[in-house]
Amino acid sequence: MSIPEAAKATETATPFLSVNNIEVVYDHVILVLKGVSLDVPRGGIVALLGANGAGKTTTLKAVSNLLHSERGEVTKGSILFDSVEVQSLSPNELVRRGCIQVMEGRRCFAHLTVEENLLTGAFTRVDGKSAIAEDLERVYGYFPRLRERRGSTAGYTSGGEQQMCAIGRALMSRPKMILLDEPSMGLAPQIVEEIFEIVKDLNVRENVTFLLAEQNTNMALKYARHGYILENGRVVMDGEARALAANEDVKEFYLGIAGDKRKSFRDVKHYKRRKRWLA
Amino acid sequence: MGQFLEVLIGGLMSGVLYSLVALGFVLIFKASGVFNFAQGAMVLLAGLALVRSLDLLVANGFPLWVAIVLGIGFAAVIMAITAWLIERFVIGPLVNQDGLTLFMSTIGVTFILEGAAQMIFGSGSYPLRLFPTDAWFLFENLFPGGILVNKLDVWGGFIAGVLVAGLAIFFQRTKTGRALRAVADDHMAAQSVGIPIGWIWFVVWLVAGLVALVAATVWGTKLGVQFSITFLALKALPVLIIGGLTSVPGAIVGGLIVGAGEKLAEVFLGSHIGGGIEYWFAYVLALAVLLVRPQGLFGERIIERI
Amino acid sequence: MRMPDTSEILLQVEGVSLAFGGVKALRDVSLDIRKGEIRAIIGPNGAGKTSMLNVINGFYHPNRGAITFKGRTRAQMQPFEASRGGIARTFQNVALFKGMSALDNIMAGRTLKMRRGLLWQMLRYGPALAEEIEHRHRVEEIIDFLEIEPIRKVPVARLPYGLQKRVELGRALAMEPDLLLLDEPMAGMNLEEKKDMSRFIIDVNDHYGTTIALIEHDMAVVMDLSHRVVVLDHGVKIADGTPDEVKNNQAVIEAYLGVAH
Amino acid sequence: SPAAAQNEQFIPILSYRTGAYAVNGVPYANGVADYYNLVNERDGGINGVKLLVEECETGYATDKGVECYERLKGKGPTGAAFINPLSTGITFALTEKTATDKIPIITMGYGRADSKNGAVFAYNFPLLGTYWSAADIAVQHIAKEVGGFDKLKGKKISLLYHDSPYGKEPIPMLQVLAKKYGFEFTPIPVTHPGVEQKSQWLSIRQNRPDYVLVWGWGVMNGTAVKEAAAVAYPRDKMIGVWWSGAEPDVEPAGDQAVGYKALMLQHGAGKFPVHADIEKHVYAKGKGASEPGKIGEVLYNRGMVNAMLGVEAIRKAQEKFGKKPLTGEQVRWGLENLNLTDARIKELGFEGMLKPIKISCSDHEGARDGRVQQWDGKGWKVISDWYTANQSETEPLVEEVSAKYAADKKIQPRDCSKES
Amino acid sequence: MLYREAGQFKTTYAEDMAIFPIRQDRMALAILLGIAFIGVPLLADFDIWPFGSDYLLRAILLPFLILALAAIGVNILVGYCGQISLGSGAFMAIGAYSAYKLGTGVHIPLAWLGFAISIPPLPVLLSILLGGLAAAVVGILFGVPSLRIKGLYLAVATLAAQFFFDWVFLRVSWFTNYAPSGSVSAPTLDFFGLNVGTPIERYMLCLIFVTVFAFLAKNLVRGNLGRQWMAIRDMDIAAELIGIRPLYAKLTAFAVSSFIIGVAGALWAFVYLGSWEPLAFSIDRSLQLLFMVIIGGLGSIMGAFVGAAFILILPILLNRIPSELGVPLSTETITHLEFIIFGSLICYLLIKEPHGFARLISIGKEKLRLWPFPY
Ligand SMILES: Nc1ncnc2c1ncn2[C@@H]1O[C@H](COP(=O)(O)OP(=O)(O)OP(=O)(O)O)[C@@H](O)[C@H]1O
Ligand SMILES: Nc1ncnc2c1ncn2[C@@H]1O[C@H](COP(=O)(O)OP(=O)(O)OP(=O)(O)O)[C@@H](O)[C@H]1O
Ligand SMILES: [Mg+2]
Ligand SMILES: [Mg+2]
């Protein structure tokens, strides 16, 4: 797939988001990120890859400044969003400035209906009711299933419906930058495609920047322009998405292609000891 | 018959007075999932601030109505400051913690408020006379002695009605109302969509403080403003859970049920088994209601999904 | 691919319908699960897959229909019947006991198998201790099998999502079930982890002969692992058959797969 | 200096200036503190032995009271002279402990009524009147109002009481009296702290008792008066015990309290010569505990009387044991031999507040006199003559209950005829 | 380097499952028990400050031990099983009054049947334990609604027990042996012919009770039943689906918890107060116990001790500081200040560590383990 020229042109020298060598500690004793740096150019799509527990979610939470309510803190390094130090902004101020996070694990407001959930996403907006109603329509357009279930209490909807609801809710804030944490989780294949199409669409048409943590490496590298690979709280590899996709190790461990052929899940060997990059 | 009616009406009315206190609980619970143990202490603080400033103003020669307006204003400012302090230093830093921790922190707040309120405003009993406290005797031609209705109770009922109507509108389908409920469901997700939790909580605690002030005017007239007013919280609890922790109108309905139930029980049952049963009767009533509806009459359904 | 050698039916669901108010989660669905097979349930979001599992293990009670498990037919399952009868499951939104360590979570899965009463446990001496140790052995085998030794004593709330899923599988395995229901066991995992998980599932199926019902959105996994696949859409069963049959079924492609995989 | 510190008599004050009952606890504690202060400031102590006083806040809670007692009982060179818990609950909890620790427990106008019997309760001193005496006096007054004891027959008397040992104490006595005089007696409990009495008063409105006795404390009293007004029950048919007859009990009710009556533990409100001394020696030096305007209120005066009796007991004991700090056991002797005559009372500046009091081994109450006062909207007015509780009515009950206590606790009662 | 399990190899599961698998922890516990069982009595015996006066024993250690025991009981229900209860005071009262009745002889005249049930006064130890049993039975009864009612709703509903039993013991004079004031006093404390009277004897008695029950409780919570309780607490639906019976788990939690609380209540009445009334077991006591458990740390036996110390002893200390320092403040001001400071400390602690002291301690240990590195 080709990188849209228009988007590329808007990329400027100063990155939209830059994470500089941050260290994150939970509960004062659990060191999770051990110096992570990454840049997200304005109008870019950057994928954050890595195994379970590598620290993807933690990185995103550090960016949206939600760590302290999980008893985590950034002990070193700095994060600049649009040239402003993130640590000095409250989470809602960040949203106001256009940086919103879709949290992992479909954190919908269980007692609100699907539609109310979507509307809370528009809380920071001041551009009037009709603009919000328009966007609501747009989200229903993306996810027709949500329209069907608009009046249902979100807590009772299915896992996938909740995931759509969480993504739709973030879209409702008309963000400039979206931090997507595992958007494809629990979604049917078509919807996964749909989500990545939305990402591409918003990126191209509205110049929305994306940082996405994703396990579906295949998809992520297809749509992203840059990728970072996290292991154990460190960035072990980064580069152009295409270059990463061509890397032998990435192919083997993340794309499951060895010798250019996908192996059946039935035939996988039982890895007792996995190969890891050394940081 | 006359007595039955009288007890029933009296019970309904006094139940509504409890609703005034219960409302404060509902507000904060609805907006942050915090069970605010400090509501009783807030009534005390509001009452003391009001009555002490009122006394001071009257003593300094202000006409009564001016003094009342200024006094209420002063008490409201005190409640605003309290709300700000609580948000800034207690509840704010505890965002995203579980319910029991938050509950415990409001107990800390209770201690602080009780200590500070009495230290600043005094720990005596201060009479407050904002509403008439005598009674009407209705239907005197129908029943010997008539049916007694306290004027204060009627005032209390009226005020509670107005409050509930106002708050119900506030919560219903306004943007802020929706945000409040979202915060109660999930602090962190609410933060992530840009709801300014700090500000929201300040507003809610302020409104709860003002509701406490209103409760203090009524109860202060009834009891005098004094420490014992904090015990109202205990009487408000059964009201609260019968109506449902999250329902504003539920607070009123709960009040009516508890008030009528416990007074009738005390008068007609208590005399046979030794009296003093109304405290536990209210709770047993609540227990019975919960067995049928575990979320109270109007509470939000407890979601069970896996 | 090796098919299970028996065709004995372990569980049969017949004509099950389930509605919540106006929402019809399941409409007259019938399916069977044969002993020893891996049975996949797929379908678009909100199709009723999770509801189906909930019906099978008694958390939801269908409005209509019958469930036959191990030869006994009933209108609805009760949770305790299901668990005692040997049905274990994992959940779509990880439902671990957050305050407990991974080890304790898995040990909790052995509740049904532990016999010593309150007084013995209080003394934790003699038979009680022996029982505890015996079950610990079994649990350690599972831990070993799932390769989660290093996180044994970590409170599960601290674990990353993927490991939580694995612990949850461990808990279900600890019940030594005859029928294992897995609700999206691989959601949120990368390829390597999916491979591990697949390996576990196959091993459980092969070595212990455990029958498995599996919900999964990753078609590659489903097609590779399962012996038979049932497809739901809007609460209706639209296809049932071997992976290859289902893959090429036009209705399925339209409702779920989109482009052919 | 250490030498001076050796010549001090330690007296603990258990008070409650906070919590639900602070409104009544504060003036009382002020009276106590001011009087001790007066003795130090005016007289330089008792015969040169300075009083060392420490207050401890109980909040009217039993376990806190126990903690305060343990904290303070050993202080000073000789330990606490006596203890004065001002709570019936704490009194019950301490009764046994004080006996083992040999520290007298003074419960002036409260405490357990049977502890009047000094033969069994060697260390308890329910001075000036127990609740059984109070019940007797109240019935005497009612009899007088209705025109004689024979008129009591068929009358309805209700007792509105604080649902605690304090409130329940008078019940057995009133039952005895009801049987004797043939009135109908109904106890009506009010749950602690007494903020809600609507149903009680609606019942009273229906039953129309001829009199309502009020055995309340703190907010319960004021609420009772207001609820009575609301159901139009005549205030002058209400008679409070002496703990339900102080300014904080009626002032919040304003005009509605006019006519309300209460027993007096001998004294009432008002200022007497001793108050002048207090103003001169304590308040003029800025050492007063109270707001000056509240000196002379009922509970303040009661605190003073209480403190005075303790001081006089120490003085009495010094006669026997020497002018030095005394142990609790020695003070107990002083209490048991206390004999305040009219002349001595006048000397102390309490003339008009107290009648003579004489304590003995078998009588730890010392006096059982009372009057009735009535609130006129501004102040309390004494409206009756002195009544003396009828011992032939109270004594059998005292004997019965204290004997049971002695049996339970395996106490061998003293033979009072052999005590000096 | 001081606190590290490295090198302490465990070769059996039994070793791994010990209460304190780490040697340093075991040593700390041994020292603590040594001080409690030997040090304190020795010091008291030789009249060495501060144990010379009864104060520390009678006003601090005795209530501390008994309330810590009650807190363990509450913790089983609230901390381990997740059923918030505000009725603990009532169960203490049931323990106390049942023990009192059994200790003074039960007599139930069944006039209409023509005979009476009479039980002679039972030995004190037996009455206390049976008092606990009575509390357990009532606990099970009041536990039944928990199958339907959850969370805060349950908490408020348990107040029904609190107020009901307050009332029962005030009103039903049979329980107080018809004492006119409704206040009763404990029988003499005879244990197998040994009279427990002095403060140090009482202290040892309570200490033995607390140690034994803490040990038994610890065994329970780390065994199968404990896991069932925690499973119910953390996610009741999932627990049910893996075969845990909510009925059994919840009711055993109510029973065990009420039993321990009941025993503590009997001790509180018999050993600490000596003479009591229902107010000694009021809602304030229930709340106090709940505070102890939350502050100490939900789901931690040790937390119950630390929480009890914090909630019970801190206010006393705060109250004493001014007079010890000789600061001239009125008791009123001192008490108000005590409230303010105490409240602030609660808030501060929670903000520093929302999971209470138990978590604070475990983080401390983890830090020690990493020492001298920060993480
Ligand atoms: N609140 C917390 N307290 C303690 N440790 C935590 C906490 N949250 C996360 N961790 C730890 O931080 C590490 C990184 O977790 P994180 O959730 O960022 O991983 P992730 O890359 O998003 O993994 P996944 O793919 O499973 O979502 C994990 O080892 C986890 O154990
Ligand atoms: N308890 C309930 N109350 C109301 N509606 C429910 C309930 N459970 C399920 N539903 C509805 O039934 C439908 C089927 O839900 P189910 O969870 O079975 O879907 P699913 O196939 O598992 O989807 P997904 O792949 O997204 O997890 C959904 O629309 C859901 O909203
Ligand atoms: Mg993650
Ligand atoms: Mg599902």
Side-chain angles (χ1 to χ4, degrees), chain D residues 221-392:
Chain D
N221 294 329
T223 309
V225 173
K226 286 189 177 182
E227 289 286 353
V231 303
Y233 186 83
R235 269 32 56 76
D236 59 357
K237 299 289 180 198
M238 297 168 74
I239 303 179
V241 70
W242 43 64
W243 299 111
S244 305
E247 289 81 358
D249 303 325
V250 283
E251 272 169 354
D255 287 346
Q256 297 175 326
V258 173
Y260 175 73
K261 294 171 185 164
L263 301 181
M264 302 163 68
L265 189 66
Q266 300 206 5
H267 69 87
K271 292 193 181 173
F272 296 87
V274 63
H275 292 94
D277 277 1
I278 284 197
E279 274 162 357
K280 180 167 148 211
H281 294 282
V282 180
Y283 281 82
K285 293 182 191 162
K287 292 188 175 174
S290 170
E291 286 170 39
K294 303 214 166 208
I295 297 175
E297 287 192 346
V298 173
L299 288 169
Y300 179 89
N301 284 358
R302 189 161 306 154
M304 264 177 34
V305 170
N306 180 12
M308 182 272 279
L309 291 175
V311 168
E312 291 314 301
I314 294 170
R315 202 186 304 279
K316 178 77 187 171
Q318 283 185 355
E319 286 173 20
K320 174 164 164 148
F321 300 103
K323 299 184 165 115
K324 56 170 204 248
L326 302 176
T327 64
E329 197 177 3
Q330 292 165 332
V331 174
R332 193 200 76 82
W333 184 91
L335 269 164
E336 199 156 85
N337 292 281
L338 189 66
N339 182 6
L340 293 185
T341 58
D342 268 333
R344 180 62 185 150
I345 288 171
K346 181 166 183 191
E347 220 169 84
L348 289 167
F350 283 84
E351 192 186 22
M353 291 173 83
L354 275 182
K355 299 237 293 180
I357 168 170
K358 183 174 187 319
I359 299 165
S360 67
C361 162
S362 61
D363 179 12
H364 277 193
E365 197 177 5
R368 48 195 64 75
D369 307 304
R371 290 177 286 179
V372 177
Q373 57 185 358
Q374 189 169 29
W375 181 254
D376 68 1
K378 286 182 206 67
W380 290 102
K381 291 281 162 328
V382 182
I383 56 159
S384 84
D385 262 343
W386 290 93
Y387 298 100
T388 302
N390 187 347
Q391 287 222 61
S392 68

Side-chain angles (χ1 to χ4, degrees), chain B residues 171-295:
Chain B
F171 273 107
Q172 214 111 57
R173 309 212 172 277
T174 68
K175 178 171 138 181
T176 319
R178 199 162 50 225
L180 293 176
R181 293 196 288 141
V183 173
D185 261 351
D186 188 335
H187 294 173
M188 198 153 154
Q191 276 184 320
S192 84
V193 296
I195 295 173
I197 285 206
W199 168 249
I200 293 255
W201 281 350
F202 166 70
V203 170
V204 169
W205 280 80
L206 173 63
V207 176
L210 296 179
V211 170
L213 176 58
V214 173
T217 60
V218 177
W219 279 97
T221 306
K222 195 173 158 87
L223 299 176
V225 178
Q226 55 179 317
F227 183 80
S228 300
I229 247 178
T230 56
F231 289 86
L232 293 176
L234 275 184
K235 298 236 53 169
L237 291 185
V239 171
L240 187 63
I241 59 167
I242 285 184
L245 278 169
T246 46
S247 166
V248 171
I252 291 281
V253 178
L256 293 174
I257 293 175
V258 166
E262 68 172 17
K263 297 296 182 257
L264 289 172
E266 179 71 47
V267 172
F268 295 104
L269 189 64
S271 48
H272 299 294
I273 55 175
I277 66 170
E278 60 185 298
Y279 263 72
W280 64 259
F281 192 84
Y283 282 96
V284 170
L285 203 63
L287 189 60
V289 170
L290 290 186
L291 282 177
V292 183
R293 277 185 74 88
Q295 70 275 32

